[in-house]
Amino acid sequence: MSSLNPFPEQFADRLAIRELVDAYAHLADRRDAQGQAALFTEDAHVAVYDGEPGAEPAQTLNGRDELAAAFGSLRNYDKTTHFNGQSTVTVDGDRATGETYCLAHHLWTEEGQRTLMVMSIRYHDAFVRQDGRWLFAERRLIVDWVDRRPSTA
């Protein structure tokens, strides 16, 4: 069977993984850093790349405490909106991998000027099911491009 038509028992897993990915974006926009960190395994690893992986990551984070601290930096923005687009997921028992596209919008005011930054991001994820719940075990955040400009809205 092709990856586009997984076995019926994988539908629930694929839906739960998509809900996990969407919960991450929702909690980011609600500034719930602890809630975001709880979506990861205790020993999760996150690496941020400016462009394709292969070069050294611009930032690495390990474990929920480091993740929560980093996620808290979103409070520096007045507003954010993370919009998840297409994604692929491959499930293999209690493990899965996937890629999700995201447009992340960040709005803030600096020296009286409102600024909008839009980032095109791809997340390369490794998921694991623990105690019946899907979690992020590893996340590689790849920034494909950034557009930063004054905002009039």
Side-chain angles (χ1 to χ4, degrees):
M1 222 171 233
S2 79
S3 63
L4 295 177
N5 296 312
F7 295 108
E9 60 268 17
Q10 288 187 4
F11 289 143
D13 291 332
R14 292 167 60 84
L15 177 59
I17 290 167
R18 180 57 191 225
E19 288 176 346
L20 174 68
V21 169
D22 289 345
Y24 173 89
H26 174 80
L27 292 167
D29 293 336
R30 297 300 167 263
R31 308 300 189 273
D32 185 347
Q34 293 297 328
Q36 274 184 283
L39 301 175
F40 289 78
T41 61
E42 289 284 343
D43 61 347
H45 175 74
V46 173
V48 178
Y49 296 88
D50 186 18
E52 287 296 323
E56 290 296 313
Q59 181 180 23
T60 58
L61 304 163
N62 294 292
R64 287 181 179 159
D65 290 341
E66 285 186 20
L67 293 172
F71 297 154
S73 68
L74 286 177
R75 291 184 193 102
N76 294 330
Y77 300 102
D78 298 334
K79 298 285 182 184
T80 61
T81 300
H82 291 75
F83 184 78
N84 291 324
Q86 70 269 28
S87 65
T88 58
V89 173
T90 302
V91 178
D92 184 12
D94 287 338
R95 298 199 170 276
T97 57
E99 178 181 44
T100 301
Y101 284 66
C102 177
L103 289 177
H105 302 74
H106 303 75
L107 183 65
W108 72 97
T109 303
E110 186 174 50
E111 297 178 13
Q113 173 61 59
R114 286 173 51 104
T115 301
L116 173 65
M117 177 176 63
V118 179
M119 302 169 69
S120 175
I121 297 170
R122 286 178 292 128
Y123 297 110
H124 288 197
D125 295 315
F127 308 98
V128 64
R129 183 179 7 224
Q130 291 181 348
D131 300 321
R133 180 177 170 225
W134 285 101
L135 299 169
F136 294 102
E138 181 178 346
R139 176 160 258 204
R140 290 182 293 155
L141 185 157
I142 302 154
V143 178
D144 284 327
W145 54 262
V146 176
D147 182 17
R148 182 176 169 166
R149 61 183 177 260
S151 173
T152 57

